[in-house]
Each structure stands twice: as C-alpha cells, then as structure tokens.
Amino acid sequence: MSVGNANASMRDFAAAADVRLGHLQHYYPTRADLIRAVLERALQRSLERVSAATKFVDEADTEVTLTESETARLFQTLLAEHDDPSCVRMFMEIWGIAVSDKATAAVVRDFYTQYVGHITDLVSCVRPELDRPRCSAVAAAVVSLLEGAAVVHSSIGIEGSADSRSEIVRSAVALVHGS
C-alpha cells in the first residue's frame, strides 16, 4: 500500500486485500477493529512460537521452570520475529496511528497488556519468590527491551549484529532470572 498504513483508509485496506469494502466493514467496522484483529493474530502466532521453542506451555502450571538456556531460546524466538521488515513496519505504523487515534491506542494498550501478562506468567514461574507486581515490572522491562530492539535494528535504525542480538538476549535472561 503506497500511502502507508498510518494514512490508509478502510477503503485502502479493502483494495489491498482485494475484497469489497462492505465485506471488510462487516467483520471490522472500524480501523481499530481491524488493527485489533491483526494484533490478536500476531500475539497468538508469537505465543505459538514461544510454546514450540520452550517447555513453557501451560502458564497456570506453577511447576514449570525454565533454565537460562531455555529462556534464552524463548527470547531468541521473539527477537527472530523482528527479522521481518514488513512486520516491524506494521507495528511502527500501528504505533503511529495510536498516537492520534484513541480507539487504536486502546487496542495497542490491550495488546501490550496481554503480551506483558504472558511474560509476567513466565517470570512468576521462573522466580516464584517475587510478588505479581514485581514479576509484571520485570516483564514490562523485558518487553521494552525486545520492542526497542525491533526499532533500533530495523531499517530505520542501525544494522543489528549477532553480538548485539546476543547482548539483548543475555540482558532479557538476566532480568527474568535475576542474575
């Protein structure tokens, strides 16, 4: 789409998807509804990759523990999602829309609340001695680190290296494991 997602109308999205506007609006009445669906799918796909990369499948199972190497594999998986320039661009566009659109901002907040919640569950399994607010704070720091990496290592930032990726993973693991 040449106008970029931030300036795109529902008509532009319908044309890009090669569907009639009425069909698109039947399922997604507003741009915020469409963005919610995109983010829900992105979160679900991410959680599926995380589950495949680790033994951490059931967040309600408090017996689950992850070694530092398993946690590193999880964060490598999450960072690998940022290797797709179109995915990073999509998130940047959504963040841009959210700056001026309250409905989209609410959708983005909900997405990150869920994302941080899943990482909070991971932290609480790895470090059961921490109370929930502290686990949530650690999780928010990890998500910030990973999301920042997406921006800095994107086409508008600097070229990421294997060394910087390793350092990001090492830092995220240290946050989760308290080491």
Side-chain angles (χ1 to χ4, degrees):
M1 190 173 311
S2 62
V3 296
N5 296 329
N7 297 319
S9 67
M10 290 295 282
R11 186 173 309 284
D12 295 322
F13 288 121
D18 197 26
V19 298
R20 290 186 6 201
L21 178 61
H23 285 120
L24 181 66
Q25 289 182 317
H26 173 75
Y27 293 101
Y28 310 106
T30 68
R31 185 165 65 171
D33 293 326
L34 179 61
I35 290 170
R36 179 181 310 281
V38 168
L39 290 177
E40 284 173 355
R41 182 175 173 131
L43 183 61
Q44 185 59 40
R45 290 173 69 190
S46 181
L47 292 175
E48 289 168 2
R49 286 187 194 106
V50 166
S51 292
T54 69
K55 296 175 186 165
F56 182 73
V57 177
D58 182 4
E59 63 214 30
D61 182 1
T62 57
E63 297 300 314
V64 173
T65 57
L66 290 174
T67 65
E68 289 189 14
S69 64
E70 290 169 327
T71 306
R73 195 167 56 246
L74 177 145
F75 293 133
Q76 289 164 349
T77 299
L78 292 174
L79 276 177
E81 294 177 357
H82 299 164
D83 291 340
D84 178 0
S86 64
C87 182
V88 172
R89 179 174 178 226
M90 176 195 71
F91 274 95
M92 289 181 183
E93 295 270 0
I94 289 171
W95 296 332
I97 294 167
V99 169
S100 61
D101 179 40
K102 290 180 181 180
T104 302
V107 167
V108 171
R109 274 191 303 277
D110 185 51
F111 169 80
Y112 281 107
T113 298
Q114 290 179 57
Y115 185 12
V116 169
H118 289 291
I119 302 297
T120 298
D121 292 336
L122 171 111
V123 173
S124 66
C125 286
V126 171
R127 296 179 63 194
E129 75 280 4
L130 298 181
D131 64 15
R132 188 75 179 173
R134 179 72 179 138
C135 288
S136 184
V138 170
V142 167
V143 169
S144 297
L145 179 64
L146 297 175
E147 293 297 288
V151 174
V152 172
H153 291 167
S154 73
S155 60
I156 64 167
I158 60 172
E159 185 176 328
S161 68
D163 287 341
S164 66
R165 179 169 277 199
S166 293
E167 188 59 28
I168 291 163
V169 170
R170 188 201 62 73
S171 297
V173 169
L175 282 167
V176 170
H177 285 271
S179 51

